[in-house]
Amino acid sequence: MTGLSSKHPFNLYYNAGEYIKICGAQDGTFPDFGHHVANEMGGVWLHPIKLLDGFWLKVTDLDRGISVWTRADTFTNEPWGSRFEYDHGLSHIPVSIERIQLAPEREKGFIAKYRVQAYAGETVRLGIELLARTDLRPVWFSEHIGIVDGERDEPLEVLDRKVLVKDSAHPWFVQVGTDLPEPRVETGALLYGPEFTAGAGCGVAFRTQIELAGQESFEFRLFAAGSSVSKEECLQTYERLTLQHEALLAEKQAAYREIEARARLEIAGETLLNEAFAWAKWNNQWLVQTVDGLGRGLTAGGPTYPWWFGCDSTYALQGVLAIGDTQLAIDTLELLRSKSEETNGNGRIVHEITTMGAVANPGNTQETAHYIVFVWDLFEWTGDEELLRRHYEYCVKGIDWLLEEMDGDGDLFPSGYGIIEIAGLNMELIDSAVYTAKALQAMTAMSEQLGEAANAAKYGELAKRAAAAVNQAFWCEEEGLYGDAIAPREAVEVKADVMISLARKQGIAGYEEYIGRLLQRTTGREGDQAWLLNKNWVIVTPMEAGIADPDKAARALATMRSEEFVGPYGTYLSGIYKQGTMTISTGVHAVAEAANGHPDEALELLRRLLRTFSVALPGSFSEMSPDYGCVVQAWTLYALAVPLIRHFFGVRPQAHRRLLQLKPQLPGAWRDKECKLDGLRIADASFDVCISPANGGEGCLVTVRNEQRWTVALELNGERRESDEAWIQWEVGRRN
């Protein structure tokens, strides 16, 4: 478990426990940034409130008369925290400094440890100033539910080594302190460090002097704890941090070693992929957010989207299941269901839930369908029928909402916004149609499992009709692609000006002529038509979901391998715009290739995705490829884990039957390599899977450790093997 370093001082980093999130610049400073809460998305957050704008260290050489607000020269991202090294940034002061910080996994506070090392061989007298800037304020959108930031932060208790600060209008607290020897303490609304930060906060400074002789070193710490409910909770957390900081670090490091061991990927010769996959699992844990009284779940991205989304969850949680964290999947889905029930009550799944519990968007159409699909997926990985039954009732409501309220013409294509939230694209969209067909298949399976025979028959018939309708209505024969949407010509005509205006704002030439040609081609046609309005990446979803007819899937995938759709970092968000790439667009495209028997093409997309690893933040993939947006994004785990585990290794569990099906299809580049997936967790079972060359490369050896004695069924190269032995080893003929 080794950290990764960089020297990109203005890029952001993200430290996280399940309660605390810390985001600043890689030079150790805390610049204001962000748009949801303007200039307030960084600093230290204990959701649903912010605690600090940041903290800074000033070092003064008392003999030379040199003072420096420190900036780190090197940043090292550790899975469990961060290291900052200060050397050249100290000007002519003959010391180096290391700062290590972490947010303990289950504490509402954090620790930053400083080590000052003299290196000139002479005595150096230093003035030390450790300054923090509080900013107790609520998360974005809170004002919509009547929660408004107080006018100021007020110091309540100023003691020798710690200061307790409260928001003037709410029981929001932060205690900041240090173990510096005999510090002088100062507080004040106008007390700032090297950066002026926005907000109605309070400065807290601790100042002292130290003397270092020869090669002597000195350590001290900053502690901060908070609470959004009570002074007592804040003080108790602070005391634990000060008394147990070493144990909390060891505990966090052990937790991250356990994450590394779970679903451990080791492909011979694929060092970058193996490393990136391990970091994607750690990144995923950074995004877990617990808010007492509201729930625990996987947030979308840090630092810009540190709350919960329907769409992001139903993609990301597929990867979460693949790496074996079923409890996180259960917790997140339960949070989505309960908040949707409270807000909508009609089966509709909400789009966006802030950590204050406010719903900013009651839900896009695709999200309800995708939630239903995932409920069955979750059951297959957990075997938990009680869990399935708990969600089933809301799934029934969800299907009714999709096919009644949102499908006025009864064509099985619900209307409304889908994944692509572009103004004007609130019509019958391909992603909503595909996932509705897939949801009907899931409802059929759920109903059969729960003994709901009438529902199973009804949903089964609708599922067949919906899949056939997608292939008939959305297919664009001339282009060899599925369309973005279906609509009558007049519906597109009235939206054309809006779409043309958006294209112009993005500097897209020729879009007006493109839309004009589409409209001209459909002159005189009545009724719904298939439209390629933007060639958005979601046109790959019929292949990803297994809805596409095989011949259409083959043709569409071949078309989408061109430079029109794929750029240097993966799949463009739009084949028309070619201006952005996300890990989700690339990931869904890779899944579509793998699901349709093209592992080589899937691996090529993943290799493009890997070009963005560590570009902005060492050990992470940015939201927007290669290097902007959130520095860590939840659905990146989908992009890696689903192609690798569910398709290349072919993991298809049926936990309720204690059955693990393996249908591997390895890329050609791995044909002569040992491919290992250890610690694969499904329900209460754990498996090690190894696929390696055998018989001089003419065959392959599949080995499975199966200590819980599940039935393991292997399908490979037209052969099927089955065993429930604790140690299974099969030699299969010529490899694919």
Side-chain angles (χ1 to χ4, degrees):
M1 191 165 65
T2 304
L4 298 176
S5 298
S6 80
K7 293 189 178 183
H8 298 291
F10 303 113
N11 288 349
L12 299 177
Y13 69 88
Y14 204 63
N15 293 157
E18 290 203 10
Y19 284 103
I20 289 285
K21 310 298 178 187
I22 310 171
C23 184
Q26 292 176 25
D27 67 355
T29 61
F30 289 91
D32 284 347
F33 70 90
H35 63 276
H36 283 98
V37 183
N39 295 317
E40 296 287 4
M41 298 304 289
V44 181
W45 283 82
L46 169 60
H47 283 278
I49 64 169
K50 188 174 186 179
L51 300 182
L52 302 178
D53 278 337
F55 54 93
W56 300 264
L57 177 67
K58 182 179 181 180
V59 179
T60 301
D61 187 321
L62 298 174
D63 295 315
R64 293 174 176 82
I66 302 171
S67 291
V68 177
W69 285 103
T70 57
R71 288 180 179 267
D73 302 294
T74 302
F75 167 82
T76 301
N77 197 21
E78 302 282 359
W80 46 265
S82 293
R83 297 178 187 268
F84 302 84
E85 295 177 20
Y86 306 78
D87 189 1
H88 304 298
L90 292 170
S91 186
H92 298 290
I93 303 175
V95 296
S96 61
I97 299 175
E98 180 186 59
R99 167 177 138 204
I100 297 175
Q101 70 186 45
L102 78 147
E105 203 61 23
R106 299 289 297 173
E107 294 288 351
K108 297 175 182 178
F110 76 94
I111 305 147
K113 182 177 79 171
Y114 294 84
R115 184 174 184 271
V116 184
Q117 174 75 57
Y119 59 75
E122 61 187 57
T123 298
V124 58
R125 296 189 312 120
L126 301 176
I128 301 292
E129 179 176 343
L130 190 55
L131 185 146
R133 183 84 191 166
T134 74
D135 192 1
L136 292 160
R137 62 175 305 122
V139 73
W140 170 74
F141 208 73
S142 296
E143 66 275 12
H144 290 266
I145 56 174
I147 299 174
V148 180
D149 186 21
E151 291 185 3
R152 60 193 177 279
D153 290 356
E154 302 173 329
L156 288 187
E157 298 176 0
V158 180
L159 304 175
D160 289 344
R161 292 189 180 186
K162 56 190 176 185
V163 176
L164 179 68
V165 179
K166 178 186 178 296
D167 180 84
S168 60
H170 303 278
W172 302 337
F173 298 86
V174 59
Q175 186 164 65
V176 185
T178 181
D179 58 3
L180 278 168
E182 301 179 352
R184 290 175 291 113
V185 182
E186 181 184 355
T187 66
L190 299 180
L191 181 59
Y192 290 90
E195 298 172 285
F196 177 84
T197 60
C202 172
V204 178
F206 303 94
R207 302 186 182 97
T208 194
Q209 295 182 10
I210 64 171
E211 185 174 296
L212 301 177
Q215 306 294 321
E216 192 176 0
S217 65
F218 174 73
E219 288 187 358
F220 62 95
R221 294 162 187 82
L222 172 77
F223 304 100
S227 175
S228 60
V229 294
S230 74
K231 171 184 173 180
E232 291 71 26
E233 182 183 56
C234 178
L235 298 182
Q236 289 167 9
T237 301
Y238 185 88
E239 184 176 12
R240 284 195 299 274
L241 295 178
T242 59
L243 295 177
Q244 302 174 25
H245 53 85
E246 291 184 1
L248 290 170
L249 171 59
E251 178 184 285
K252 180 138 190 173
Q253 290 172 333
Y256 275 69
R257 283 193 295 270
E258 193 279 330
I259 291 169
E260 182 181 22
R262 185 194 313 152
R264 182 182 178 90
L265 182 74
E266 189 176 341
I267 309 298
E270 295 281 0
T271 303
L272 178 60
L273 178 61
N274 296 334
E275 181 180 50
F277 187 73
W279 276 94
K281 293 186 292 180
W282 290 324
N283 292 170
N284 191 75
Q285 186 62 30
W286 299 349
L287 294 171
V288 178
Q289 181 68 59
T290 298
V291 176
D292 293 342
L294 185 56
R296 173 181 185 263
L298 183 65
T299 61
T304 307
Y305 295 99
W307 41 78
W308 302 289
F309 288 78
C311 175
D312 298 60
S313 295
T314 46
Y315 276 119
L317 292 180
Q318 294 178 57
V320 169
L321 288 181
I323 65 167
D325 195 350
T326 53
Q327 190 59 53
L328 177 58
I330 291 168
D331 291 346
T332 308
L333 205 67
E334 180 59 28
L335 193 156
L336 282 175
R337 185 202 62 79
S338 60
K339 202 64 185 178
S340 298
E341 184 79 72
E342 173 190 317
T343 303
N344 298 323
N346 60 351
R348 185 180 188 179
I349 292 296
V350 296
H351 174 64
E352 191 169 10
I353 310 166
T354 76
T355 50
M356 193 64 81
V359 173
N361 177 340
N364 297 329
T365 302
Q366 166 268 338
E367 290 168 297
T368 296
H370 218 176
Y371 156 79
I372 295 168
V373 175
F374 184 74
V375 168
W376 179 248
D377 200 16
L378 182 60
F379 174 70
E380 290 201 301
W381 282 76
T382 64
D384 188 338
E385 191 166 299
E386 181 181 344
L387 175 68
L388 177 65
R389 197 174 296 278
R390 190 160 67 244
H391 284 272
Y392 178 74
E393 181 180 351
Y394 205 70
C395 289
V396 171
K397 290 182 181 180
I399 282 289
D400 290 344
W401 178 74
L402 288 167
L403 298 184
E404 294 174 11
E405 183 173 339
M406 302 305 292
D407 185 24
D409 59 5
D411 60 1
L412 301 179
F413 303 147
S415 299
Y417 284 104
I419 301 167
I420 308 297
E421 296 175 282
I422 296 176
L425 279 184
N426 55 338
M427 50 181 73
E428 294 181 340
L429 300 174
I430 182 66
D431 50 315
S432 296
V434 165
Y435 292 132
T436 296
K438 194 73 175 174
L440 286 164
Q441 293 177 355
M443 289 301 298
T444 304
M446 284 188 240
S447 300
E448 289 175 347
Q449 178 65 32
L450 297 176
E452 300 283 347
N455 276 351
K458 177 179 69 174
Y459 296 134
E461 179 60 30
L462 287 171
K464 293 176 185 176
R465 286 174 49 201
V470 167
N471 282 287
Q472 180 178 356
F474 279 89
W475 181 249
C476 301
E477 178 61 29
E478 186 172 338
E479 292 88 352
L481 293 166
Y482 287 91
D484 305 293
I486 60 168
R489 183 182 184 280
E490 55 270 21
V492 173
E493 194 169 26
V494 299
K495 296 175 184 287
D497 287 344
V498 173
M499 291 186 287
I500 290 167
S501 176
L502 288 171
R504 283 177 179 160
K505 288 179 181 178
Q506 298 297 320
I508 303 303
Y511 188 74
E512 183 174 4
E513 292 76 12
Y514 175 76
I515 285 291
R517 288 195 298 273
L518 293 182
L519 290 169
Q520 178 64 32
R521 196 168 71 187
T522 57
T523 300
R525 296 184 187 176
E526 299 293 330
D528 284 341
Q529 314 288 325
W531 299 88
L532 274 163
L533 299 173
N534 294 99
K535 299 185 180 179
N536 291 313
W537 65 269
V538 291
I539 63 176
V540 81
T541 57
M543 288 74 79
E544 175 239 359
I547 295 297
D549 289 339
D551 57 337
K552 291 174 180 172
R555 190 174 168 198
L557 287 171
T559 302
M560 290 189 69
R561 291 175 197 136
S562 69
E563 293 182 359
E564 182 179 15
F565 291 95
V566 179
Y569 306 113
T571 305
Y572 292 123
L573 299 179
S574 163
I576 294 288
Y577 282 54
K578 296 188 185 66
Q579 289 182 338
T581 302
M582 281 186 170
T583 55
I584 190 60
S585 56
T586 305
V588 172
H589 195 173
V591 170
E593 290 282 17
N596 287 270
H598 307 295
D600 292 346
E601 289 76 7
L603 182 59
E604 169 58 24
L605 288 166
L606 295 186
R607 293 206 190 286
R608 291 174 186 262
L609 178 65
L610 288 172
R611 294 173 186 169
T612 73
F613 179 60
S614 294
V615 172
L617 173 63
S620 187
F621 296 84
S622 295
E623 172 192 7
M624 299 293 297
S625 304
D627 60 357
Y628 63 105
C630 290
V631 296
V632 58
Q633 193 77 14
W635 56 29
T636 299
L637 188 64
Y638 166 96
L640 288 171
V642 174
L644 285 165
I645 294 178
R646 298 192 179 200
H647 293 285
F648 292 175
F649 279 89
V651 175
R652 304 181 186 185
Q654 294 183 31
H656 56 297
R657 298 174 57 195
R658 294 179 61 83
L659 170 65
L660 171 60
Q661 293 180 298
L662 295 175
K663 298 184 179 180
Q665 49 168 355
L666 297 179
W670 298 358
R671 190 163 295 165
D672 300 318
K673 297 179 178 182
E674 183 177 73
C675 303
K676 297 174 65 177
L677 180 63
D678 291 340
L680 173 67
R681 296 185 183 180
I682 302 168
D684 61 352
S686 178
F687 305 87
D688 293 340
V689 180
C690 179
I691 305 173
S692 56
N695 192 24
E698 292 298 312
C700 66
L701 193 66
V702 179
T703 306
V704 182
R705 181 185 61 84
N706 176 33
E707 292 181 357
Q708 284 74 26
R709 304 293 293 268
W710 282 31
T711 299
V712 178
L714 174 71
E715 293 185 27
L716 182 61
N717 300 332
E719 299 184 40
R720 178 180 171 85
R721 310 286 180 85
E722 190 173 298
S723 174
D724 62 0
E725 296 297 318
W727 181 262
I728 303 167
Q729 194 166 76
W730 290 304
E731 186 170 334
V732 184
R734 184 181 298 276
R735 305 182 72 181
N736 60 335

